[in-house]
Amino acid sequence: MKVVEALGGPITQAEFAALIGVSEAKVSQLASEGVIVRGAPGHTWLLAYCERLREVAAGRASSDGGGLDLVQERAALARSQREAQDIKNAVARREYAPIGLLADVLGKASSAVVDRFEQLEGAMRKTCPDLPDEALATVQKIIASARNEWIRSTAKLVSDDLDALEQSPDDGEDDDASTFGAEGVEL
């Protein structure tokens, strides 16, 4: 039987595997991926297989059938490089800073404000000795309430920002991106 005649009708996976020089398992995989259709003539299988080889060679399809293809990989790399460069530019413009630095600055500022609040009662007694204790207590309550709300609001902002960072996809493995992107805050 001539090969051309054999391709006109249905052919087994074993025969097709022998024809194209791959294992039967690879032919079965091609069928499960939808590259070839079971029961179709051998000629159709051969054309579909050749089309698949052209797509893989041109970079429009992946050779393993399921992963990212070359075009997607290049696009992902370009996006990651662009994001890394954007972060470097933002750092250079002083629009981004590492979270550790911002936490230190915020901690120092907070402690300075708390120290001032704690000195307020003595300063008020000194400058307003006739101020009734009830008025002083009211002022202290208002200041304590404002301080507690400030702490609560700051904690909520930090929590929200960290939640947003955790939910955002991390495409790049660039050192600067991990230093300032996932662990940095826009100023």
Side-chain angles (χ1 to χ4, degrees):
M1 177 189 275
K2 294 183 180 179
V3 173
V4 175
E5 292 172 5
L7 292 177
I11 125 178
T12 66
Q13 287 185 3
E15 292 170 334
F16 189 68
L19 177 69
I20 62 172
V22 298
S23 68
E24 283 185 57
K26 180 63 178 175
V27 174
S28 179
Q29 179 184 359
L30 291 170
S32 68
E33 292 173 1
V35 175
I36 59 175
V37 179
R38 297 184 202 281
H43 179 262
T44 305
W45 281 16
L46 187 57
L47 289 176
Y49 179 68
C50 289
E51 177 65 23
R52 171 60 175 255
L53 290 178
R54 281 192 298 276
E55 291 291 318
V56 169
R60 293 185 296 263
S62 64
S63 60
D64 63 359
L68 290 175
D69 64 26
L70 185 58
V71 173
Q72 289 175 328
E73 288 287 341
R74 286 181 182 153
L77 176 61
R79 181 175 44 255
S80 177
Q81 289 171 337
R82 185 192 73 238
E83 289 171 353
Q85 189 60 48
D86 288 346
I87 290 170
K88 287 178 185 177
N89 291 342
V91 169
R93 289 188 304 262
R94 296 180 170 230
E95 293 172 348
Y96 262 25
I99 285 179
L101 174 64
L102 295 175
D104 290 345
V105 169
L106 185 58
K108 288 177 184 176
S110 297
S111 105
V113 169
V114 168
D115 288 345
R116 295 283 184 167
F117 281 157
E118 289 175 356
Q119 296 171 6
L120 189 60
E121 183 179 359
M124 286 180 65
R125 287 193 187 277
K126 192 176 195 180
T127 50
C128 303
D130 297 333
L131 187 67
D133 288 339
E134 295 144 5
L136 184 59
T138 301
V139 169
Q140 288 296 95
K141 283 181 186 177
I142 292 171
I143 290 173
S145 174
R147 181 181 60 208
N148 291 340
E149 180 57 32
W150 176 43
I151 291 169
R152 207 174 6 261
S153 297
T154 303
K156 184 177 181 338
L157 286 173
V158 170
S159 175
D160 291 348
D161 285 349
L162 290 177
D163 288 345
L165 285 174
E166 289 173 0
Q167 292 174 0
S168 67
D170 185 19
D171 293 338
E173 296 295 326
D174 190 276
D175 288 339
D176 289 333
S178 64
T179 302
F180 294 102
E183 297 175 357
V185 172
E186 189 171 353
L187 300 175

